[in-house]
Amino acid sequence: MSKDEPSANVARFPPLPRLPPSPRFPEDPRQQQTRRILGGIARATQNQMVLSGPNLVKGFPASAVDLGRLKTALERGVHRLDAEQVAERWDEVFAWMRRLIAAWVQRYKMLKIVQRGGGIRVEIQTQDDHGYYDYAFDVFPGRTTQAAARKRKGTT
């Protein structure tokens, strides 16, 4: 290993934050049957396989993703990084963003996270029993929310 390569045992600075808790909503009655079916299959096959299904419990419903809240949560994760740090740590940043979206968005079918210019392009497709929904927005590293800036300055 050369002196320029980071060690696998050294945490990079600044660290990415822990994932914020995902939004919770009342149970969607349309998903009760799916949950019962998946639960029955999981119980019947628990000794033979592991079953994985869609996120039906937490996060924004497929048809109602709050892009403002999702974008803010993603930007809070990368606000201490500049574009160069994002590029250097892309695997780590990508994995963190993917985990956050998986926890915050129900039933996504497609997820695309790509570095673009000085930002990160996020495209999500979700599906429920009414159809498909496409969402797209940009996340900008180094950007802080006005509320976070006021908190740091002590003017909350």
Side-chain angles (χ1 to χ4, degrees), residues 111-144:
L111 175 62
K112 185 177 179 182
I113 305 172
V114 180
Q115 295 178 71
R116 190 167 101 178
I120 302 165
R121 181 71 173 172
V122 177
E123 297 177 11
I124 306 167
Q125 183 179 74
T126 63
Q127 179 188 12
D128 67 10
D129 55 341
H130 292 291
Y132 290 88
Y133 308 91
D134 294 306
Y135 304 99
F137 57 93
D138 294 306
V139 172
F140 296 99
R143 193 180 272 190
T144 58

Side-chain angles (χ1 to χ4, degrees), residues 75-86:
E75 284 185 343
R76 283 183 180 152
V78 296
H79 83 274
R80 297 190 323 177
L81 304 176
D82 59 29
E84 185 177 311
Q85 290 171 311
V86 168

Side-chain angles (χ1 to χ4, degrees), residues 12-61:
R12 292 184 158 184
F13 189 82
L16 295 175
R18 291 183 184 168
L19 291 182
S22 60
R24 298 249 178 206
F25 298 95
E27 184 172 75
D28 183 341
R30 297 175 299 164
Q31 295 177 352
Q32 291 174 354
Q33 175 134 353
T34 301
R35 191 178 340 280
R36 278 195 302 274
I37 291 168
L38 290 175
I41 294 170
R43 284 187 297 282
T45 62
Q46 65 187 355
N47 295 329
Q48 293 89 19
M49 69 176 77
V50 176
L51 181 68
S52 177
N55 172 8
L56 300 172
V57 181
K58 57 188 177 180
F60 300 114

